[in-house]
């Protein structure tokens, strides 16, 4: 585990340690069950090569998650400091990175089925849905933070995965990392974008290497994450 992940263990635990009501909105559970299993089926689909699987998975996650809300959360107060042009450039970089991160992390969780095991309400629009990925080698826990909108729609705003024995929230990890970078660089959006692009390039290079090692034909791909 990296020092950053270690430092976030306490933060993630505190975020979930608040006393919550006993029952969450059934619709939130149904939303996660349907969409998470859809994503899992894409990861396991033998009819898709890695490139097709990646594009389909990222397209679904772009709908499944509220990327703009998350993009603002992970830069905290700087979301109000950036100009519109700076934020647009940052968002484009972040969306690509976030989707590559979801793909890289959730790909490790391939299994037979995602089963909802419980849920709690933070308030009437904010729920934590607890699931496990059923696998022959042992179930893996995943938690999803789901928000509902005025029009009754649902979207995920964070995902907690088990990393080195600790259940950590991805957006909380990103917020700590990005806020520290912005504080060091006096709020430089260009420095943040450069760093995000470098991290994305590493994730995409790793995915390309995995496809090459698997002997699959690869080609240029561009997944656009619309706002």
């Amino acid at each position: 585990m990296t020092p950053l992940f270690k430092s976030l263990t306490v933060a993630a635990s505190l975020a979930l340690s608040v006393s919550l009501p006993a029952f969450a909105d059934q619709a939130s559970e149904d939303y996660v069950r349907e969409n998470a299993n859809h994503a899992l089926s894409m990861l396991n689909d033998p009819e898709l090569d890695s490139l097709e699987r990646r594009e389909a998975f990222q397209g679904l996650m772009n709908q499944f998650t509220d990327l703009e809300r998350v993009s603002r959360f992970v830069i905290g107060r700087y979301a109000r400091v950036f100009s519109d042009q700076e934020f647009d450039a940052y968002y484009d970089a972040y969306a690509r990175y976030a989707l590559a991160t979801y793909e890289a992390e959730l790909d490790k969780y391939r299994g037979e089925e995602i089963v909802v095991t419980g849920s709690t309400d933070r308030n009437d629009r904010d729920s934590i849905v607890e699931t496990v990925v059923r696998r022959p080698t042992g179930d893996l826990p995943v938690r999803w933070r789901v928000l509902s909108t005025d029009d009754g729609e649902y979207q995920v705003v964070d995902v907690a995965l088990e990393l080195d024995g600790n259940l950590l929230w991805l957006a909380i990890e990103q917020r700590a990392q990005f806020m520290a970078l912005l504080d060091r660089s006096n709020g430089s959006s260009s420095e943040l974008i450069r760093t995000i692009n470098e991290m994305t390039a590493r994730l995409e290079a790793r995915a390309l290497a995995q496809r090459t090692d698997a002997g699959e034909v690869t080609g240029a791909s561009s997944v656009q994450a619309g706002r």
Side-chain angles (χ1 to χ4, degrees), residues 125-197:
R125 292 191 175 185
D126 184 350
S127 300
I128 304 294
V129 178
E130 300 176 9
T131 69
V132 293
V133 181
R134 300 291 189 201
R135 304 191 313 164
T137 55
D139 295 348
L140 288 173
V142 184
R143 291 180 182 173
W144 314 77
R145 186 176 177 189
V146 183
L147 299 184
S148 62
T149 62
D150 290 337
D151 56 5
E153 298 295 324
Y154 292 82
Q155 282 193 304
V156 169
V157 295
D158 205 355
V159 179
L161 304 175
E162 188 177 80
L163 301 170
D164 294 334
N166 297 293
L167 200 62
L168 298 179
W169 292 88
L170 295 183
I172 291 176
E173 186 274 333
Q174 291 169 359
R175 180 183 174 98
Q177 186 177 12
F178 293 169
M179 290 286 288
L181 186 153
L182 287 166
D183 288 345
R184 291 194 305 268
S185 64
N186 295 317
S188 171
S189 63
S190 60
E191 180 65 17
L192 176 62
I193 291 169
R194 183 188 65 80
T195 301
I196 290 174
N197 286 338

Side-chain angles (χ1 to χ4, degrees), residues 54 96-105 196-210:
R54 179 171 184 257
R96 183 180 169 198
Y97 168 70
L99 292 171
T101 299
Y102 283 133
E103 180 190 11
E105 294 299 336
I196 290 174
N197 286 338
E198 289 176 352
M199 294 189 296
T200 303
R202 288 195 293 269
L203 287 170
E204 293 180 341
R206 190 180 310 155
L208 177 60
Q210 290 171 344

Side-chain angles (χ1 to χ4, degrees), residues 103-122:
E103 180 190 11
E105 294 299 336
L106 293 177
D107 189 63
K108 303 173 186 175
Y109 279 63
R110 292 195 192 194
E112 299 174 348
E113 182 184 11
I114 294 179
V115 178
V116 174
T117 58
S119 56
T120 49
D121 284 338
R122 295 170 62 88

